[in-house]
Amino acid sequence: MQSIFWRGPDGRHWTEGGTEGGADFDPVAQVWIYRLIPAVQDPDTGRWSARSAGRPVEVSGHPEQVGYTRVSADPLGEPRIARLYAGLVELLADYEQSVGQPHPHAGELHALFEDVAALPEELRRRGRAAAQTAAQSGFQRGQRNGRRR
């Protein structure tokens, strides 16, 4: 199973994967507690992985419902996304070279890029979910409304 990676409300990145990550149900609070471990991005490939150093955090409730945004584990795996990223990096470098300081919204631009990079993975998940729903309803076996055709 592939690890799930999140960008936290503070901009740091986390994963549910690894030996310390996971979720447990708290019967007293009636909520799931998610243990997220720090993640680091490889500067060459762009892939995210669990970081061996760093303190895990506990999140009460599903991360998506408390301000975390799911990000792609391999944001540069899609060639069009990789070209977009290369263009973004080039534009930001040109700006910094001409002005002498980083673009004031560079962090926001990188966060927006991560949102776009997560789209192909999200669309694949939706497609699989739709296929599973169709299979469970009997649609692919020639059944409709409980009758065989």
Side-chain angles (χ1 to χ4, degrees):
M1 186 172 125
Q2 187 175 5
S3 296
I4 297 173
F5 292 89
W6 301 95
R7 181 180 63 243
D10 61 358
R12 293 185 299 165
H13 290 78
W14 306 90
T15 182
E16 293 178 31
T19 56
E20 297 177 41
D24 291 312
F25 187 73
D26 181 345
V28 175
Q30 292 290 305
V31 69
W32 282 93
I33 305 295
Y34 286 78
R35 278 183 311 286
L36 303 178
I37 56 177
V40 63
Q41 190 173 33
D42 183 301
D44 297 325
T45 66
R47 291 186 187 107
W48 288 100
S49 61
R51 188 169 63 191
S52 57
R55 172 171 281 174
V57 297
E58 289 190 348
V59 176
S60 297
H62 192 276
E64 215 164 26
Q65 296 171 340
V66 291
Y68 288 74
T69 303
R70 189 170 181 165
V71 297
S72 175
D74 186 11
L76 304 181
E78 162 67 41
R80 293 173 292 182
I81 300 293
R83 284 194 309 274
L84 175 65
Y85 182 71
L88 174 65
V89 168
E90 187 176 326
L91 281 171
L92 291 175
D94 287 349
Y95 180 91
E96 187 169 352
Q97 186 176 14
S98 66
V99 175
Q101 62 185 7
H103 190 280
H105 301 289
E108 292 172 47
L109 290 170
H110 281 286
L112 290 170
F113 167 77
E114 282 184 342
D115 293 343
V116 170
L119 289 175
E121 195 173 300
E122 184 178 319
L123 293 172
R124 279 192 293 275
R125 282 194 313 272
R126 284 184 187 173
R128 282 192 297 269
Q132 288 173 338
T133 301
Q136 289 170 351
S137 70
F139 186 78
Q140 293 180 344
R141 292 186 300 260
Q143 299 174 348
R144 280 200 190 161
N145 300 327
R147 300 186 314 244
R148 278 207 172 281
R149 288 190 157 203

